[in-house]
Amino acid sequence: MKFLYLLFLLISTTLSAQVDFDNYHTLQAVGTLPQDFTKRSYEKMEEDLSKGTNSDLSEREERVFYEGINYAIDDLMHSGYVVFGDSISNYINEIADKLLKNNPELRKELRFYTLKSNNTNAFSTAQGIVFVTTGLISQITSEAQLAYVLAHEIAHYTEKHVLESFSYKVNNKQTSIEHMSVYSKEKELSADKLGVQMFADAGYSKDAVKSTFDVLLYSYLPFDEVEVPLNYFVSNDSLYLPQSLFPSEAYEIKADEDEDDSKSSHPNIKTRKDAADSSLAVISQWGNDLNPLGEARFNRLRDMARFEVVRDNVMNAKYADALYTIFLMEKEYPNSTFLMHMKAQTWLGILQYRNVNSMRTIVKDKKDMEGASASIHYLLREISKDDLTVLCIRQIHDLYTAHPDDKEIGLIYERMVREIAFKSEFKIEEQGKISFATAQKRYEAIKSAEPVEVTPVSDTVTKPKSKYDKIKSKRDPNIITSDFDSSNFSMYLIPDVIVDTTFLRLLDTYTAENDSIELLQKQFDALTAKEREKLRKIQNENELRLGLTSFISVEPFILSLKKGGGIDRVKSEKLKTIVNEKMDEASKRSGVEMYNLPTPDASSDVNVFKERCLLLNFVEQMAINDEVEAFPVDFALLSGLSENYGTSKVMYSVVAHKFDLGMSKKALLLSLVFFRVGMIYLPLKIVSGNNLIIDLVVLNTDTGYVEGAGEVALKSGLNEYMIGAQFYELFKLLKSEE
Amino acid sequence: MKKSLLIIIILCAWNCNAQYEGFYSTKNEVNISTGFCLPSVNPFSLLRYSEYSVKYLKVSGKRLKSGSNVIDLNFNFGYSHAFKGNFAVGFEANYERGNFGVSSLDIGNGENQYFENFRTNSFTFIPKLIFATKNSLLPVGLSHQIGIGYGLTKVRQRDYAYAVSEDYYPIDTSFPITDYEPTPINYSLVAKNIKVMYELNVKTPISESMTINYGIRYNINIPMGYTIKEVPVETPAISNTSIYDDIKSMRWRKVASFNLGVSYLF
C-alpha cells in the first residue's frame, strides 16, 4: 500500500514537473502570493525604520535608504517580470535549501524569485530577496554553477553589502568612480570567498566555481555558439540567399578575462578566478555534485529559461538575436508551436522595423558583432530593403502554409500583408513568377541552347506577342535574356505567394483600405489651415470614443512629483487606493464595466496577479516598440484573458501631479525684489501652479493596436474628487461612439 | 416682479441645458467668500496715489497716530451656472469695507484739523463670465473670471475723532484727540463706480457638492461721479469734492485681494 502511495507521489511529481515545450507559454506565478508582493512599500519601509540599520547613518539617511530600496524593489516585484512558485523558482529555492541546510534561521529570512530578463544576473537585496534572471539560467551548464551564484548572493545579504555601499557613498560624497569601484570590488571578492565555503558545505563540486566565471565572461553572447548554415533560410527552391549576404569569415569573440576593471563594480574575471583559486585551496572537503537535483531536470529548466530568452528577444525587438536563439532551440524542439509563433512574430517585426527604416534598432553594428550569431546580424544589416521585404513575406508565408489553422500565425500573416500594403514599396508586378532554381536552370539551358521545360507557378494564358509585349517582356524576369544575375535573388523568392488566392485577397483588401486612407489624406491636405485645424480637433475628441461597454483596467500609475524633481513615493502609493475607489465609482456611474487589476494586496488572487503581469508585459512591449504596431508576444495568453473578461480592450493610465510656478528663478527673484509689482504677478503663478495630468491609452490585446489614447491636463491638485470626476468623463467618452 | 420672472426663466433655461452634465452632475454653484485686500501694498502706491497713504490717521487710545490701512475685508455672495466644462456665467453681490485718510483742514490761526480715517461701505453687483481650460469641469477647478459691475460707496456714519494741531504734516507723529466730530461730512454722498474685475480662482472639491475656494482678484474701479440724495442739514466740515476724491483714491488702491470661501454645488 505504501509502495502504491509512493509510486503515485512519484508519478504526480514527475507529471507536474513536465513541461510541454511544444505548447510552451511564458513563465507565470503559481500558488499563494507571497507577502513580498502584497505588502505596501510604505509599510515595509516603516517596519524597516522601526528596526533601524545599526549603522552610522542619520535618521534622515536611514529613511532615504529604506525608501529607496523598498520602492525600487517593489517596482520590480510589481513590474510583471518577477514570478514565484513556478518550476524555475521552485528549483532555485531547493538549491537554496541545500546551501542553507545548516542555517535554517537564515533560510527563513531569504526569499528567492525568478526574474524574466535576458541579463545574465542574480542579485540580493537588503530585504533578503534574491532575484535570479532567466538569462543567467539559460547560460549556465550545471546546477552547481547556479548554487555558487546563489551562495555569492547570500553572502552579500549576510554581510549587509547593500547597506554598507550606501553608507560608503553617503560618507564619501566626493569620492571618484575609481575609488567607489575599488570599494565595490572588495565587496564582490568577499562575497565570492564566503560563497565558496557555503557552496562547498552543500557538497557541490569545486569544478563549478571557476566555470561559473566563464559563464559570466561570455554572458553577453547568446546561450550557445553554433554556426548558422547558409541554407538555414532555404525552405524551398524559391529561396536563395547569395553568400555575399553572410560574413566571409567568423566574427571573433573579444571577451577578455583581464579587461580593465578600474571603473567597474565587479572585478574582472581573471582577478575573480585568481581569488577563487586561493579560496578553493583552503577548503579540503569537496563533494562531487554537479546536478544533485537531477541533470534531466536541470536541462529541462534551462530550456525553459532559453525559451524565455527567445520571448524576451522578440518582446524587445532584438530580432537578429531572436532568430539566432530560435535557430538554436529549433533543433531540439522542431515541433514547438511557441518557437513557430516567435519566428513568425520575428519576421513580422523585422518587416515592420524595415518599413520605418529602424533596422539599427534590431541589429548590431558591425563593430559589435561577435560569435556565431553575427551571421544573422550581418545578413539583416547587409540585405537591401526590398530584398528583406520579400524575404519576410517568404518566411511568414511558409509558416502560414505549414500551419494554416493556427490562429496566431493567421493573424500574423494578415498583419504582414497589411504591412506591405500600407507601408512597403512592395509591387507585386515586379515579382518574378518562377523560382530561383527554375530561373537558374532556364539560364543555363539558354546558355547551353538546350530547351528546358519550365513550370511557371502562375497559370498565365499565352497569347501571340505584339511588339509592345515583346518590349515589356524584356523587363519580365521570366525571360532570361542576359547573363543570370544571382544578386537579383529576391525577384524569385515568392512566385507561389504572388498567385496565392489568400495573399491576393488580403493584399487587395488592404490596398483598397490604404487607397481610401490616402484619398482622405489628400482631401485633408487640400483643406484650408483653419479647416484642417477644426478637423484635427474633432479627430482628437473622437480619439477616445470607442463605444466600449466594458474594459480591463490596469491600476493607474500615480506620480506625485516633487518640486525639486523625483517622486513622492509614499504619497503616490497611498493615493492608489483612493484613485481605485474613485475609478470604480466612475465606472458604475458611467455604465461602463471596468475590471480593475490593482497592485496585489493580502486579499489578491494569484490569477489576477498573473493577468496583471501579462498586461504589464504587453504594454511594455508596445512601449518598447512604439515605432511600429508590434504583435503581442503573449498573444495566446492574452486571448485567454480577453475571453475570460469578455473584452480585449485594456486601459492603462497615469495620473501625475506637479506643483510648478512656471517661472524662472530670475523672475521669482525680481518679483520679490519689486514686491509691489511682484505681488500682482506672483499670486497668479502660485494659484495656477498645480498641474495634474491624466494620460490613458486603450490597447487591444487581440491585435496589439492602440485603440485610443488621450490626455487630460488640468490646473488642479491631486484631489480625489477631481480625479474621480475626470475618470467619469473619460469613461463616458470611452462608452460613446464616434 | 418682471425681473424675478425673468431670472426664474433664465435659471430654468440654464438647467434645461442637457449638453454638459457638470461636475458629478452639478452645474450650479453658490458661494460665499471673504476677501482680504491689502491697500497699502499695491502698485499704484508707487505712483500718484502714494501721497494719500501718508495722511492716514487712526485712533490709538486717546491719540491720533499716523499709520497705514493694512487690510480691508470684503464679503461676497455669488452664483454661477456652468454651460460647458470650460464656460460658466454668474453674478456676484459684494459688500466691501474700506478706510481712507482724510485731507486736513486749515481752520485758521495756523492750525490744522486732522481727522481719523473714515470708514466706507461699498456695495457692488457684478455679472461674471467664467472661463476655464479645455478639460475643466466647471464649476470646480481653476477658472478665470471676468466681470464688469456697478458699485456704490458711502462713508459710514460714525463719530470720527479729530485733532487740532499747528503741525503741518503729522507723519510718524501722534496728536492728542481734541474731540469727536459727529457730522464731519454729508452722509448722503454716494460715490459711484464701474468695477472691472478679473479673478483667478480655484475651487477645490472636498466632496461631490462642496468646494473650498481661493483666488486672487484684481479690480479696477472707474469713478463715475457721485450723487447727493438728501440736502445736508449742516454744511459739512470737509467738502464733498474732497471726500469724493479720497474715496476715488481709496478705490484705486483696492487693486488686488485674496479670496477665501466655500461653495455649494447643485
Side-chain angles (χ1 to χ4, degrees):
Chain A
M1 190 64 190
K2 264 188 181 175
F3 171 75
L4 270 176
Y5 177 69
L6 274 173
L7 192 67
F8 174 76
L9 261 183
L10 274 173
I11 290 169
S12 59
T13 313
T14 318
L15 283 175
S16 67
Q18 284 296 330
V19 183
D20 180 5
F21 282 104
D22 285 348
N23 295 294
Y24 182 80
H25 290 304
T26 188
L27 280 178
Q28 288 190 295
V30 180
T32 315
L33 277 157
Q35 225 179 35
D36 287 324
F37 290 84
T38 59
K39 213 173 201 177
R40 294 285 167 260
S41 308
Y42 61 84
E43 289 171 356
K44 293 178 187 175
M45 185 178 87
E46 293 303 331
E47 260 178 36
D48 288 342
L49 280 170
S50 66
K51 288 178 204 161
T53 55
N54 295 322
S55 67
D56 56 352
L57 292 176
S58 68
E59 204 173 304
R60 195 186 145 274
E61 287 161 352
E62 278 191 358
R63 181 166 278 276
V64 171
F65 174 71
Y66 281 126
E67 184 176 327
I69 58 163
N70 277 301
Y71 278 99
I73 296 304
D74 282 0
D75 278 351
L76 187 63
M77 302 292 272
H78 299 142
S79 66
Y81 288 99
V82 181
V83 284
F84 58 86
D86 60 294
S87 316
I88 294 180
S89 298
N90 291 343
Y91 184 66
I92 296 165
N93 273 283
E94 283 179 49
I95 297 171
D97 291 343
K98 205 169 157 53
L99 287 168
L100 297 169
K101 64 181 179 217
N102 299 325
N103 196 345
E105 287 306 309
L106 178 59
R107 179 64 189 95
K108 271 185 208 163
E109 282 178 41
L110 293 163
R111 291 88 75 200
F112 295 83
Y113 302 116
T114 307
L115 175 62
K116 293 200 277 187
S117 160
N118 277 5
N119 290 325
T120 306
N121 199 10
F123 56 96
S124 60
T125 71
Q127 299 97 318
I129 300 172
V130 179
F131 295 97
V132 179
T133 65
T134 43
L136 171 70
I137 294 170
S138 76
Q139 297 270 0
I140 54 177
T141 56
S142 68
E143 173 196 324
Q145 289 180 340
L146 179 56
Y148 180 58
V149 173
L150 293 183
H152 170 96
E153 294 307 327
I154 293 167
H156 274 312
Y157 171 73
T158 55
E159 298 305 302
K160 296 187 173 179
H161 284 165
V162 178
L163 174 66
E164 282 183 10
S165 298
F166 178 80
S167 184
Y168 181 82
K169 274 184 207 162
V170 167
N171 295 322
N172 300 279
K173 282 182 182 132
Q174 302 303 320
T175 194
S176 64
I177 296 174
E178 285 79 3
H179 276 101
M180 196 61 219
S181 165
V182 170
Y183 178 83
S184 173
K185 282 183 286 197
E186 276 171 19
K187 299 289 167 200
E188 289 302 326
L189 289 173
S190 149
D192 280 352
K193 192 177 172 184
L194 290 165
V196 166
Q197 186 62 56
M198 201 186 304
F199 176 78
D201 292 346
Y204 285 106
S205 163
K206 70 189 290 188
D207 297 342
V209 174
K210 285 175 79 176
S211 66
T212 305
F213 294 122
D214 286 331
V215 170
L216 300 179
L217 180 64
Y218 301 110
S219 63
Y220 66 100
L221 295 168
F223 50 74
D224 208 348
E225 273 292 296
V226 180
E227 291 301 325
V228 183
L230 288 184
N231 64 353
Y232 174 62
F233 297 105
V234 179
S235 51
N236 57 36
D237 75 343
S238 295
L239 242 169
Y240 164 80
L241 295 175
Q243 203 156 358
S244 61
L245 293 177
F246 295 92
S248 51
E249 50 189 58
Y251 275 84
E252 65 162 332
I253 293 168
K254 297 169 193 162
D256 178 12
E257 277 196 359
D258 199 16
E259 66 177 357
D260 177 17
D261 60 2
S262 58
K263 290 180 181 173
S264 304
S265 61
H266 287 61
N268 66 34
I269 297 300
K270 186 176 180 303
T271 312
R272 293 180 84 171
K273 278 184 175 177
D274 291 347
D277 279 335
S278 315
S279 308
L280 294 173
V282 175
I283 299 165
S284 52
Q285 287 278 323
W286 283 101
N288 295 313
D289 289 341
L290 274 175
N291 289 299
L293 293 174
E295 193 173 348
R297 187 178 175 195
F298 169 77
N299 287 333
R300 195 168 55 243
L301 294 172
R302 188 178 62 178
D303 283 350
M304 283 176 78
R306 289 180 170 185
F307 272 48
E308 288 298 327
V309 169
V310 172
R311 174 186 171 273
D312 193 275
N313 281 331
V314 175
M315 189 176 160
N316 289 291
K318 291 179 179 166
Y319 291 125
D321 287 332
L323 280 180
Y324 181 70
T325 45
I326 291 167
F327 154 73
L328 293 173
M329 298 310 289
E330 264 180 347
K331 284 179 187 167
E332 200 165 340
Y333 303 102
N335 300 317
S336 170
T337 312
F338 174 82
L339 291 177
M340 175 186 72
H341 289 160
M342 292 298 112
K343 197 174 194 176
Q345 287 190 30
T346 300
W347 283 111
L348 175 66
I350 293 170
L351 178 65
Q352 289 174 322
Y353 272 89
R354 170 249 169 269
N355 282 344
V356 292
N357 297 320
S358 282
M359 288 302 285
R360 280 172 183 276
T361 315
I362 63 171
V363 292
K364 286 179 186 164
D365 280 341
K366 276 187 181 169
K367 63 178 172 51
D368 298 326
M369 291 180 193
E370 283 184 51
S373 67
S375 59
I376 294 183
H377 284 275
Y378 190 94
L379 165 70
L380 296 179
R381 186 161 277 281
E382 286 299 299
I383 195 167
S384 74
K385 282 182 178 181
D386 292 343
D387 292 350
L388 185 57
T389 300
V390 184
L391 181 61
C392 292
I393 296 170
R394 172 80 268 156
Q395 295 291 339
I396 297 171
H397 185 80
D398 285 350
L399 287 164
Y400 177 64
T401 315
H403 309 277
D405 299 327
D406 188 286
K407 188 185 168 192
E408 187 169 336
I409 296 286
L411 283 169
I412 292 170
Y413 187 72
E414 281 184 26
R415 288 282 278 274
M416 176 270 285
V417 182
R418 188 175 184 272
E419 191 69 27
I420 59 170
F422 272 64
K423 291 174 189 162
S424 295
E425 286 131 29
F426 175 80
K427 289 189 174 60
I428 197 163
E429 60 276 12
E430 286 177 5
Q431 305 307 315
K433 297 187 179 71
I434 55 172
S435 72
F436 183 85
T438 306
Q440 197 174 25
K441 276 183 205 166
R442 280 191 64 176
Y443 168 68
E444 278 162 11
I446 290 165
K447 266 184 84 177
S448 59
E450 287 173 13
V452 170
E453 192 182 334
V454 174
T455 318
V457 184
S458 57
D459 299 324
T460 47
V461 180
T462 314
K463 291 176 186 174
K465 285 184 177 172
S466 68
K467 169 189 161 188
Y468 307 103
D469 286 333
K470 284 172 191 165
I471 293 167
K472 281 178 193 168
S473 70
K474 282 186 179 174
R475 297 184 163 193
D476 189 337
N478 280 312
I479 308 302
I480 313 292
T481 53
S482 60
D483 277 347
F484 179 66
D485 179 8
S486 65
S487 69
N488 259 342
F489 66 96
S490 69
M491 192 182 280
Y492 314 102
L493 277 179
I494 51 169
D496 53 334
V497 181
I498 58 169
V499 292
D500 183 276
T501 48
T502 310
F503 178 82
L504 290 174
R505 179 177 51 78
L506 285 170
L507 190 65
D508 283 347
T509 308
Y510 288 127
T511 306
E513 197 182 315
N514 188 42
D515 290 347
S516 64
I517 291 170
E518 279 178 1
L519 184 68
L520 279 173
Q521 185 63 45
K522 274 181 194 162
Q523 288 170 346
F524 180 80
D525 293 340
L527 296 173
T528 63
K530 202 176 172 183
E531 286 169 332
R532 282 202 298 267
E533 191 51 43
K534 199 175 169 185
L535 260 179
R536 268 195 211 104
K537 206 176 162 187
I538 294 168
Q539 267 178 335
N540 287 341
E541 280 171 9
N542 287 335
E543 178 87 358
L544 285 174
R545 292 186 193 280
L546 303 176
L548 300 185
T549 52
S550 64
F551 63 89
I552 304 164
S553 166
V554 176
E555 183 186 72
F557 295 91
I558 314 282
L559 304 171
S560 174
L561 303 167
K562 290 180 189 168
K563 280 173 209 160
I567 302 166
D568 185 340
R569 304 302 305 263
V570 178
K571 187 177 176 188
S572 303
E573 193 182 15
K574 285 183 176 171
L575 268 164
K576 275 186 180 177
T577 317
I578 296 167
V579 173
N580 279 334
E581 280 170 15
K582 290 291 164 193
M583 283 177 73
D584 280 340
E585 269 178 38
S587 145
K588 280 174 197 146
R589 276 173 197 249
S590 59
V592 187
E593 194 149 14
M594 179 188 73
Y595 305 102
N596 195 14
L597 303 182
T599 309
D601 59 21
S603 62
S604 296
D605 181 76
V606 71
N607 289 322
V608 175
F609 173 78
K610 278 159 60 178
E611 288 165 350
R612 192 171 182 275
C613 290
L614 209 54
L615 292 174
L616 286 172
N617 285 183
F618 171 55
V619 75
E620 183 141 355
Q621 185 195 358
M622 297 306 135
I624 292 166
N625 297 277
D626 63 339
E627 285 182 88
V628 300
E629 290 174 322
F631 192 86
V633 71
D634 298 317
F635 174 80
L637 291 172
L638 288 168
S639 293
L641 189 143
S642 60
E643 274 172 30
N644 193 18
Y645 285 100
T647 176
S648 59
K649 312 295 188 300
V650 187
M651 184 185 86
Y652 299 88
S653 50
V654 178
V655 179
H657 171 262
K658 188 175 186 182
F659 184 85
D660 184 9
L661 281 181
M663 60 196 292
S664 64
K665 281 181 184 169
K666 199 173 163 185
L668 182 65
L669 194 68
L670 282 172
S671 298
L672 294 171
V673 170
F674 301 104
F675 180 63
R676 285 171 194 273
V677 178
M679 68 85 67
I680 299 291
Y681 176 64
L682 201 56
L684 277 178
K685 290 288 180 184
I686 293 169
V687 170
S688 58
N690 275 307
N691 295 285
L692 179 71
I693 290 178
I694 301 176
D695 272 311
L696 69 85
V697 60
V698 178
L699 297 181
N700 189 332
T701 55
D702 285 347
T703 59
Y705 292 150
V706 175
E707 296 283 329
E711 182 177 273
V712 174
L714 282 174
K715 290 283 182 187
S716 166
L718 265 176
N719 179 284
E720 56 184 289
Y721 295 99
M722 197 64 106
I723 294 169
Q726 287 296 343
F727 270 113
Y728 170 61
E729 294 297 319
L730 287 167
F731 291 176
K732 278 196 300 180
L733 210 57
L734 291 173
K735 192 182 175 187
S736 64
E737 285 181 26
E738 200 172 323
Chain B
M1 185 64 187
K2 271 184 183 174
K3 272 186 184 172
S4 308
L5 273 174
L6 187 67
I7 288 169
I8 290 165
I9 289 165
I10 290 169
L11 284 176
C12 284
W14 285 358
N15 284 316
C16 287
N17 183 323
Q19 297 244 316
Y20 171 58
E21 261 189 51
F23 174 77
Y24 286 113
S25 306
T26 59
K27 288 187 278 188
N28 300 298
E29 167 252 359
V30 285
N31 69 70
I32 49 167
S33 66
T34 304
F36 305 89
C37 178
L38 306 174
S40 56
V41 184
N42 67 81
F44 292 106
S45 60
L46 297 172
L47 307 173
R48 63 179 282 254
Y49 294 102
S50 60
E51 68 193 70
Y52 292 98
S53 61
V54 299
K55 295 195 298 178
Y56 189 89
L57 293 169
K58 55 186 178 185
V59 176
S60 174
K62 289 185 176 177
R63 298 184 76 84
L64 278 185
K65 280 189 175 175
S66 63
S68 61
N69 187 13
V70 179
I71 193 162
D72 278 341
L73 292 179
N74 60 67
F75 304 94
N76 308 298
F77 169 81
Y79 166 82
S80 74
H81 173 89
F83 287 91
K84 285 160 74 178
N86 58 2
F87 178 67
V89 172
F91 67 83
E92 186 182 291
N94 174 280
Y95 164 62
E96 196 174 350
R97 296 172 73 109
N99 273 277
F100 64 89
V102 189
S103 311
S104 59
L105 286 176
D106 183 352
I107 55 171
N109 302 324
E111 288 183 323
N112 293 305
Q113 187 179 14
Y114 296 101
F115 289 92
E116 73 161 299
N117 57 310
F118 281 12
R119 276 72 151 178
T120 61
N121 289 334
S122 300
F123 298 93
T124 313
F125 180 81
I126 314 170
K128 294 189 295 190
L129 294 177
I130 301 164
F131 302 95
T133 47
K134 193 175 78 177
N135 301 303
S136 301
L137 295 172
L138 288 174
V140 303
L142 183 130
S143 64
H144 305 272
Q145 306 186 353
I146 297 166
I148 300 177
Y150 184 71
L152 303 171
T153 303
K154 272 190 80 172
V155 174
R156 215 183 307 157
Q157 188 164 8
R158 196 170 182 273
D159 293 344
Y160 293 97
Y162 68 88
V164 174
S165 170
E166 290 178 350
D167 291 344
Y168 182 62
Y169 255 140
I171 301 168
D172 295 329
T173 58
S174 67
F175 301 96
I177 292 170
T178 309
D179 200 354
Y180 286 85
E181 173 65 66
T183 51
I185 56 158
N186 182 350
Y187 289 110
S188 300
L189 181 141
V190 179
K192 298 179 286 186
N193 69 280
I194 295 284
K195 176 181 257 192
V196 181
M197 58 79 70
Y198 163 76
E199 180 169 341
L200 186 64
N201 183 278
V202 177
K203 290 186 170 64
T204 305
I206 51 170
S207 76
E208 288 179 16
S209 57
M210 288 288 285
T211 67
I212 288 177
N213 316 332
Y214 60 92
I216 171 87
R217 173 179 293 205
Y218 304 103
N219 305 299
I220 292 177
N221 291 289
I222 303 163
M224 300 294 287
Y226 65 89
T227 55
I228 296 166
K229 288 185 179 171
E230 292 169 25
V231 180
V233 179
E234 289 180 46
T235 309
I238 307 168
S239 74
N240 285 328
T241 318
S242 173
I243 291 292
Y244 176 61
D245 284 345
D246 288 336
I247 289 174
K248 272 199 299 185
S249 63
M250 175 197 73
R251 304 285 286 158
W252 275 116
R253 285 197 297 276
K254 289 174 178 286
V255 173
S257 69
F258 303 97
N259 285 356
L260 190 65
V262 289
S263 288
Y264 174 71
L265 313 174
F266 60 101

